[in-house]
Amino acid sequence: MKVIICGAGQVGWQIARHLSGEKNDVTVVDNNVELVRRAADTLDVQGIAGFASHPDVLEKAGARDADMIIAATYSDEVNMVTCQVAHSVFDITRKIARIRSQSYLDAIYSDLYRREHLPIDVIISPEREVAEAALQRLAAPAAFDTESFMGGRAQLLGIALDEDCPVLNTPLRQLNDLFSTLRAIVVGVRRDGTLFAPEANDQLFAGDQIYVFTDTEDVNRALEIFGKTNKKQERLVIIGGGNVGLAVAQALERRTQRVRVKMIEKDRARAERAADALERTIVLHGDGMNIDLLQEANVERADAVLVVTDDDKTNMLAAVRAKSAGGAMAIALVNDPTLVPLMGPLDIDAYINPRATTVSSILRHIRHGRVRAIYSIGDAEAEVIEAQVLSTSPLAGQEIRDIDFPEGVLVGAILRQGKLIKPSGDSRIEEGDIIALFAMAADIPEVERLLQVSIDYF
């Protein structure tokens, strides 16, 4: 498939990396020559320097015979015009745009994106995606990473193992015997900075970061087995009153179970906008790293502090400051994946990676129909893929032990007729089943072959 990606920033680069690795014909367009050169030099893609919305630039990028265009520049307006040009001039079949401004996303203006107006097939809102990720982190505060699958029936949990974890040095095979009724499987382990799919005889050690796929009903029990407790969140301090912080606060206000929320925002105009938009949330104007302001927000009584400003270093420092002021736990928004290894030494409990969240959302829409959900783990090191098994798939009718999965692939769960099944070697995968697979990046093309999934753009 031929794909044009407009915008060679963090999101565009990662999407290009995924699609080019899957043997698609990818062209990257950006008006920043250095970003285009980086993409062309490091990935198997073509690079075009120029403004993505200009017809002559898209012509050079091969828009005449492109199957899909992904507009992921930093400008909403450029992304929208790019999709319009792609439709009106080049008749590109599928158009995806990243849109940040909440005004463009208001449901009352949804007619704007109809084919006869501004033809965009899929709109990705990073702020909404990140706000949802933040709410998931708050729902499982003992985990450093979380994602929902199978319509909310299953959860992926990232858990850091401490010295007091009760199941250290226990082979995974034995864990399944000890907790036979627990519908949870360890699908990934990060040890000394390296992520891998574990085997049945592998043991877990203190300092490991593990990824557990579990039935949502068993989340608390799974956390307890790995030495964590899931405390109920009743008081929250949000540092950062932009689109993400505001969306989280509004979502919490809509819940029937009341959560006391206080927000700190440095920019006065933004703080006033947040105060006007919120009903029960107390908004404080000032610097989230100011110890006096943190004390005024009663951070020492907060169950969690969520730091979501638009600057990574500010988020990390504010999280550290909040913890030092008595905050029970801190969650920081971090765009730069190279900063993630600092989370442990800085005692930051969990993080949200907007780039991974947005990339996962775009990939979900690219792999249309048969693949139902995708979550990118780490720096695109692995993915959890939720897909429906087709009658034409080599998986249909086979027991898991008989399927020639690559070493970096594990089955996390099977959903059959509304019932979640914990997979084992003798579990048979049937046509129509929905399965969740953990796959290392190098093994994803083979997974798609086994699922008989192609990128569907019609």
Side-chain angles (χ1 to χ4, degrees), residues 45-65:
V45 302
Q46 300 176 62
I48 300 292
F51 286 94
S53 57
H54 290 184
D56 61 325
V57 174
L58 291 180
E59 180 95 55
K60 290 178 185 176
R64 291 286 176 195
D65 57 352

Side-chain angles (χ1 to χ4, degrees), residues 131-132 135 245-256 278 280:
E132 180 58 36
L135 290 167
L246 182 59
V248 171
Q250 288 174 325
L252 293 173
E253 285 191 346
R254 289 192 294 268
R255 291 185 176 179
T256 53
L278 298 167
R280 298 195 304 266

Side-chain angles (χ1 to χ4, degrees), residues 180-433:
S180 58
T181 60
L182 178 70
R183 290 163 296 181
I185 289 182
V186 178
V187 293
V189 177
R190 188 185 302 280
R191 181 174 298 153
D192 298 326
T194 301
L195 182 68
F196 62 92
E199 297 180 356
N201 292 323
D202 284 341
Q203 301 177 29
L204 302 177
F205 304 115
D208 284 354
Q209 291 183 332
I210 64 172
Y211 288 90
V212 180
F213 204 90
T214 176
D215 189 303
T216 299
E217 294 179 356
D218 288 353
V219 165
N220 288 339
R221 187 178 171 211
L223 288 168
E224 288 173 4
I225 286 170
F226 293 107
K228 304 292 182 180
T229 55
N230 218 16
K231 185 181 177 183
K232 190 176 178 181
Q233 303 293 295
E234 297 179 339
R235 293 181 174 86
L236 173 67
V237 174
I238 300 175
I239 300 176
N243 287 335
V244 173
L246 182 59
V248 171
Q250 288 174 325
L252 293 173
E253 285 191 346
R254 289 192 294 268
R255 291 185 176 179
T256 53
Q257 177 190 346
R258 185 166 180 178
V259 179
R260 293 185 176 91
V261 181
K262 293 184 179 178
M263 176 183 289
I264 300 173
E265 170 54 49
K266 189 174 183 178
D267 181 83
R268 185 174 189 85
R270 189 179 289 174
E272 290 175 350
R273 283 197 299 270
D276 290 340
L278 298 167
E279 296 179 4
R280 298 195 304 266
T281 302
I282 297 172
V283 180
L284 304 174
H285 170 233
D287 190 342
M289 286 191 286
N290 184 303
I291 192 68
D292 294 331
L293 194 60
L294 288 172
Q295 289 172 349
E296 184 181 346
N298 293 323
V299 70
E300 72 280 357
R301 299 183 60 193
D303 298 309
V305 179
L306 176 66
V307 193
V308 288
T309 78
D310 54 8
D311 182 80
D312 285 356
K313 297 179 179 64
T314 297
N315 292 343
M316 296 175 71
L317 287 172
V320 171
R321 194 65 183 261
K323 288 291 290 282
S324 69
M329 70 168 294
I331 304 171
L333 186 89
V334 178
N335 285 277
D336 185 351
T338 64
L339 295 175
V340 171
L342 298 176
M343 296 292 167
L346 291 175
D347 194 28
I348 298 173
D349 301 279
Y351 67 93
I352 304 163
N353 183 341
R355 183 181 72 175
T357 302
T358 305
V359 167
S360 297
S361 181
I362 291 174
L363 287 174
R364 181 169 68 247
H365 291 291
I366 290 174
R367 295 169 185 161
H368 185 67
R370 300 166 188 125
V371 170
R372 294 158 46 102
I374 289 176
Y375 186 62
S376 180
I377 293 176
D379 190 15
E381 298 156 273
E383 289 181 10
V384 176
I385 301 172
E386 175 187 325
Q388 187 168 24
V389 177
L390 304 176
S391 60
T392 55
S393 168
L395 305 180
Q398 289 204 60
E399 293 185 357
I400 289 177
R401 63 163 58 93
D402 297 328
I403 299 172
D404 189 21
F405 282 122
E407 288 186 6
V409 176
L410 288 176
V411 182
I414 302 170
L415 184 66
R416 179 178 300 152
Q417 298 177 346
K419 181 181 178 181
L420 198 70
I421 300 169
K422 177 182 176 180
S424 60
D426 58 1
S427 297
R428 188 178 299 278
I429 296 176
E430 299 179 359
E431 176 190 348
D433 284 353

